[in-house]
Amino acid sequence: NAGVTQTPKFRILKIGQSMTLQCTQDMNHNYMYWYRQDPGMGLKLIYYSVGAGITDKGEVPNGYNVSRSTTEDFPLRLELAAPSQTSVYFCASSYRGVEAFFGQGTRLTVV
Amino acid sequence: GQQLNQSPQSMFIQEGEDVSMNCTSSSIFNTWLWYKQDPGEGPVLLIALYKAGELTSNGRLTAQFGITRKDSFLNISASIPSDVGIYFCAGQLDYGGSQGNLIFGKGTKLSVKP
């Protein structure tokens, strides 16, 4: 039972570097989300998708991009990494946009 | 943006004690969810509430959807060491609509004294 799988689990980036956080789900969910979690804070929505080919901005989209070419995959792209993007990133999916199931997270440090 | 006020921020309790935490908002929500996050893991859904006044249990956990639709409560009975973690409430404003996204509280960190 894979559920939502995120890779990598950990990553250190230098300022200005780029990377893609991978997320895939095997539950055939239409809704997918990217959240970031900073210490002592709740989860903030970065981007979400309600189906393949459809994406929209969440609360904190600046510095990120997403694509949704398939139902299963929802990668998150950081183009020019900044220290403010040091965080734990969670991908989630949902069947009907209500109950969300989360991956294990990617811990990103930008130095 | 929308805010969920979750309290308390943290709590230490003796094993066997009951625990209560709550979430309030100035906005009306259609759905309330409660998640638990263990260290180094993603949040795991504990309970989902869909109707005002609804009371739902999951083992030793009981959650209620407030009548005003602006709050929710989570109770844990007879706490045990594995209850340690961070509990998040999450509310959804727009069920099944174009957004379908959740607004999260900042969490209640639960620590149990063995």
Side-chain angles (χ1 to χ4, degrees):
Chain A
N1 297 333
V4 179
T5 302
Q6 291 183 236
T7 57
K9 285 188 168 43
F10 303 93
R11 184 72 186 268
I12 298 175
L13 276 184
K14 293 185 178 177
I15 294 172
Q17 284 186 321
S18 301
M19 78 163 293
T20 299
L21 282 67
Q22 301 291 346
C23 175
T24 187
Q25 53 94 6
D26 62 358
M27 297 176 280
N28 202 31
H29 286 170
N30 287 324
Y31 293 79
M32 294 190 74
Y33 313 85
W34 276 105
Y35 289 89
R36 61 176 285 171
Q37 183 179 33
D38 299 315
M41 306 294 287
L43 292 98
K44 297 275 179 85
L45 183 67
I46 305 171
Y47 270 95
Y48 66 97
S49 169
V50 300
I54 306 169
T55 62
D56 209 345
K57 296 177 181 179
E59 184 181 358
V60 289
N62 291 342
Y64 308 95
N65 276 301
V66 294
S67 59
R68 184 95 182 269
S69 56
T70 67
T71 298
E72 294 79 19
D73 300 307
F74 190 41
L76 178 71
R77 178 84 178 159
L78 282 72
E79 289 294 347
L80 291 170
S84 61
Q85 293 178 306
T86 294
S87 189
V88 182
Y89 292 83
F90 288 101
C91 179
S93 72
S94 175
Y95 171 63
R96 52 178 184 157
V98 180
E99 307 88 348
F101 295 90
F102 286 81
Q104 289 196 309
T106 295
R107 186 174 297 272
L108 176 67
T109 303
V110 181
V111 296
Chain B
Q2 299 292 338
Q3 295 276 349
L4 283 185
N5 300 310
Q6 188 171 351
S7 65
Q9 285 186 321
S10 63
M11 53 194 314
F12 290 86
I13 61 167
Q14 200 73 31
E15 184 176 351
E17 286 182 345
D18 296 343
V19 173
S20 290
M21 60 191 77
N22 69 82
C23 229
T24 61
S25 172
S26 57
S27 301
I28 292 175
F29 286 90
N30 290 331
T31 305
W32 284 97
L33 306 173
W34 285 92
Y35 286 85
K36 184 193 177 201
Q37 186 178 27
D38 292 324
E41 301 287 332
V44 173
L45 182 64
L46 298 173
I47 293 179
L49 302 158
Y50 305 105
K51 289 184 349 182
E54 181 180 356
L55 185 71
T56 297
S57 293
N58 178 6
R60 293 178 295 105
L61 278 61
T62 301
Q64 185 162 24
F65 194 143
I67 288 292
T68 65
R69 295 171 65 193
K70 293 182 179 180
D71 57 4
S72 179
F73 304 86
L74 176 69
N75 296 317
I76 305 173
S77 63
S79 57
I80 59 178
S82 61
D83 289 334
V84 163
I86 303 177
Y87 292 80
F88 291 100
C89 63
Q92 186 178 57
L93 290 165
D94 188 20
Y95 171 80
S98 60
Q99 279 198 313
N101 74 78
L102 299 173
I103 299 166
F104 282 83
K106 293 185 179 179
T108 294
K109 186 175 183 179
L110 185 63
S111 302
V112 179
K113 298 175 187 176

